[in-house]
Amino acid sequence: MKKICFATNNDSKIAEIKLLLQNKIEIVSLKEINCIEDIPEIGTNIEENSFLKAQYVSKKYKIPCFADDSGLIIDALKGEPGVNSSHYSGTRNDEDNINKVLNKLTNIDNRKAKFKTVITWYENESFKQFVGEINGTISLKKIGNGGFGYDSIFIPENFDKTFAEMTTIEKNIISHRAIAIHKLMNFLNN
Ligand code: IMP
């Protein structure tokens, strides 16, 4: 069975992809290939960071690899927080990051935003990227208790509730990450 590395130590991301691949391919995490160092995330956008992670791991550990990177892109904030989504406020605290976004959008009518995931597949010096996006709007305040990150302020298009008000199953059908993962799956299954 082909063995590939998913450049993450997030157990729920590993479990999700294993379920989708139905044991057709062996997926190993960073820990499992003994990659314990911090991988440099010095890209200026989501595409670059996703690429740099996959390239670093594949070249150093000589294994086919894929890596994901995601972020929230807000029209009125010229694409912020984007590649800085996880630490937009200067901390990695979701509450602080959300508050910074809501403060910056005070009295701004254009609340359009999107979530974007880029997955990079890297093998033998060549690579391919898979993009998943979901459009929506930023709510006026936090609504809902589920999820993580900016879920409680993101209302996906054609819905009247935030990601944080959805079940994991509901969110995983429509999310940016799910769209990118399905594109990767089609590629791997072929
Ligand atoms: P990562 O690249 O998947 O680690 O995502 C980077 C950051 O983007 C996270 O720390 C969150 O702040 C934000 N983010 C990405 N995906 C989501 C999501 O599905 N819901 C809420 N926030 C997200």
Side-chain angles (χ1 to χ4, degrees):
M1 202 185 344
K2 185 162 178 157
K3 188 164 155 176
I4 59 184
C5 176
F6 182 7
T8 184
N9 278 321
N10 181 324
D11 292 337
S12 51
K13 284 186 182 176
I14 295 269
E16 183 183 355
I17 196 102
K18 278 189 174 170
L19 197 74
L20 288 166
L21 283 167
Q22 295 170 340
N23 294 328
K24 285 189 210 144
I25 293 167
E26 187 185 351
I27 300 285
V28 289
S29 68
L30 290 173
K31 260 183 298 206
E32 288 170 292
I33 58 166
N34 294 321
C35 173
I36 47 161
E37 68 270 31
D38 279 337
I39 301 173
E41 290 199 27
I42 48 170
T44 54
N45 56 43
I46 293 169
E47 283 80 359
E48 255 177 53
N49 262 354
S50 165
F51 172 82
L52 290 172
K53 274 188 272 186
Q55 182 193 45
Y56 176 93
V57 174
S58 180
K59 281 187 134 176
K60 180 159 179 195
Y61 293 88
K62 307 209 172 354
I63 184 170
C65 174
F66 62 92
D68 71 331
D69 203 66
S70 305
L72 177 65
I73 294 165
I74 300 175
D75 274 19
L77 302 183
K78 301 196 176 87
E80 288 182 12
V83 72
N84 298 317
S85 292
S86 63
H87 52 269
Y88 190 43
S89 61
T91 75
R92 291 189 174 265
N93 181 288
D94 288 343
E95 289 292 303
D96 294 346
N97 291 335
I98 286 174
N99 287 335
K100 179 164 180 185
V101 166
L102 291 179
N103 285 337
K104 282 203 160 204
L105 289 180
T106 306
N107 297 327
I108 293 184
D109 290 335
N110 176 8
R111 317 281 301 183
K112 278 194 204 152
K114 69 180 174 191
F115 269 120
K116 178 174 185 173
T117 293
V118 178
I119 296 179
T120 303
W121 167 260
Y122 196 100
E123 182 176 22
N124 298 332
E125 309 276 322
S126 66
F127 76 98
K128 202 167 166 50
Q129 291 193 311
F130 306 92
V131 180
E133 292 185 337
I134 178 159
N135 291 319
T137 50
I138 301 297
S139 55
L140 293 170
K141 59 181 173 70
K142 283 181 277 180
I143 313 167
N145 299 314
F148 71 102
Y150 300 91
D151 277 349
S152 62
I153 56 166
F154 184 80
I155 304 172
E157 205 169 68
N158 302 322
F159 287 82
D160 56 5
K161 56 184 175 182
T162 65
F163 263 169
E165 293 179 285
M166 295 184 169
T167 63
T168 310
I169 293 173
E170 258 182 305
K171 181 184 164 189
N172 282 346
I173 293 171
I174 59 168
S175 82
H176 46 305
R177 195 169 296 100
I179 294 167
I181 286 177
H182 280 105
K183 290 181 182 173
L184 171 74
M185 303 280 309
N186 282 339
F187 170 76
L188 292 179
N189 280 327
N190 292 320

